[in-house]
């Protein structure tokens, strides 16, 4: 009695792996760590308090993760800037004069480019809807 169909696939209800997925070393390690977690944590704290710098670093990393850089708020006058091109030019000028960091200006100009594309799509959809409405009477 064959376990496969003529196209080589397994018959419905028949598994190609009846023994199931083999246990991996990672699964066993996780089980052991989970079982001994409280004792391991207590030992790490004990070693850290005894002066073990590696254990101390591990404990501190768990208590307070590494700080990530946060950009400072910026203020740029957009007075006289007309349209997205004018705003982009003002941002580039602000970066060139040192008012704002160049990477921030680059991100903002990129965001303005995305706004321009979204605005263009909205405008095209609006115009297409008008054309379709006019064509359908």
């Amino acid at each position: 009695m064959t376990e496969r169909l003529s196209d080589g696939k397994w018959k419905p209800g028949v598994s190609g792996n009846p023994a199931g997925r083999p246990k991996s070393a990672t699964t066993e390690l996780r089980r052991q760590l989970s079982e001994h977690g409280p004792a391991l944590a207590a030992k790490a704290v004990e070693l850290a308090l005894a002066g073990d710098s590696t254990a101390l670093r591990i404990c501190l990393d768990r208590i307070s993760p590494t700080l990530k850089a946060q950009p400072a708020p910026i203020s740029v006058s957009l007075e006289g800037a007309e349209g997205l091109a004018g705003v982009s030019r003002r941002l580039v000028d602000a970066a060139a004069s040192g008012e704002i960091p160049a990477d921030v200006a680059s991100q903002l100009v990129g965001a303005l480019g995305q706004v321009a594309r979204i605005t263009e799509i909205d405008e095209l959809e609006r115009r297409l809807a008008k054309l379709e409405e006019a064509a359908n009477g």
Side-chain angles (χ1 to χ4, degrees):
M1 179 174 179
T2 180
E3 299 289 326
R4 294 183 184 249
L5 300 173
S6 60
D7 63 0
K9 294 182 181 177
W10 292 101
K11 288 183 178 178
V14 176
S15 171
N17 187 9
R21 184 176 177 176
K23 289 190 181 350
S24 70
T26 304
T27 303
E28 178 60 20
L29 179 61
R30 282 192 179 136
R31 186 195 63 73
Q32 288 179 10
L33 288 173
S34 175
E35 182 179 313
H36 300 290
L40 291 170
K43 185 65 176 180
V45 170
E46 177 187 325
L47 290 170
L49 293 173
D52 183 325
S53 61
T54 303
L56 177 61
R57 183 175 39 80
I58 290 169
C59 290
L60 290 176
D61 285 347
R62 298 306 178 266
I63 294 169
S64 178
T66 305
L67 295 176
K68 294 179 183 172
Q70 296 290 329
I74 62 166
S75 177
V76 177
S77 171
L78 299 177
E79 190 174 323
E82 292 187 26
L84 294 175
V87 173
S88 295
R89 168 54 60 199
R90 179 65 191 108
L91 290 169
V92 171
D93 291 345
S97 68
E99 288 179 61
I100 62 173
D103 64 328
V104 172
S106 174
Q107 289 174 348
L108 291 172
V109 170
L112 285 173
Q114 292 294 328
V115 168
R117 284 188 274 287
I118 292 167
T119 302
E120 182 181 16
I121 290 169
D122 283 348
E123 178 64 18
L124 288 172
E125 286 177 347
R126 186 186 62 75
R127 293 169 84 184
L128 182 60
K130 266 188 166 179
L131 287 172
E132 288 174 345
E133 186 178 303
N136 293 333

